């Protein structure tokens, strides 16, 4: 299987709203400028993990939410150059576990 893109094209480059599927099954859906993801977008990994939020220059940048299916949790916070940075809110799908707010974390989530 090869990479596949559906959407707008300008001068041979992906531009405008588009969906890009990688050969491994990961899917990017959002706005592309000169073949680079910009603005609000969804990144859906073949594992079921997801990221919904802001992108700049093709990287997670600004507010976003990472949903980790295997961990049964979601993390909302600020991303900087693809890395969760600063305070975050962790939401567990198990109702017996409280929502943790303002957890200080810096590191790669997904």
């Amino acid at each position: 299987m090869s990479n596949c893109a559906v959407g707008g094209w300008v001068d041979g480059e992906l531009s405008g709203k588009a969906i890009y599927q990688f050969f491994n099954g990961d899917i990017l859906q959002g706005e592309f400028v000169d073949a680079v993801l910009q603005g609000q977008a969804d990144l859906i990994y073949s594992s079921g993990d997801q990221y919904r939020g802001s992108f700049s220059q093709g990287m997670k940048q600004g507010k976003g939410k990472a949903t980790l299916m295997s961990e049964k949790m979601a993390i909302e916070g600020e991303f900087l150059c693809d890395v969760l940075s600063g305070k975050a809110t962790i939401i567990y799908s198990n109702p017996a576990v409280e929502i943790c707010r303002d957890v200080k974390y810096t590191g790669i989530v997904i």
Side-chain angles (χ1 to χ4, degrees):
M1 182 179 198
S2 61
N3 295 343
C4 175
V6 176
W9 295 86
V10 174
D11 296 327
E13 293 190 333
L14 200 55
S15 191
K17 291 189 183 290
I19 299 172
Y20 188 93
Q21 183 169 3
F22 295 91
F23 70 92
N24 66 358
D26 294 350
I27 298 171
L28 273 174
Q29 181 174 339
E31 187 82 20
F32 289 80
V33 177
D34 297 327
V36 177
L37 195 58
Q38 290 285 106
Q40 290 298 116
D42 293 317
L43 174 54
I44 304 163
Y45 294 92
S46 59
S47 66
D49 293 345
Q50 299 178 18
Y51 171 81
R52 172 175 277 175
S54 297
F55 281 81
S56 178
Q57 305 274 324
M59 293 187 288
K60 298 175 195 110
Q61 185 84 14
K63 291 185 186 242
K65 179 179 179 181
T67 303
L68 309 172
M69 301 305 284
S70 61
E71 303 294 327
K72 297 182 179 155
M73 63 185 278
I75 301 171
E76 293 179 2
E78 290 284 328
F79 287 78
L80 179 63
C81 297
D82 270 347
V83 176
L84 183 63
S85 182
K87 293 183 178 182
T89 300
I90 302 173
I91 304 161
Y92 295 94
S93 63
N94 181 346
V97 179
E98 286 187 29
I99 293 176
C100 301
R101 294 196 183 275
D102 298 333
V103 176
K104 180 72 173 161
Y105 180 85
T106 301
I108 297 173
V109 175
I110 56 174

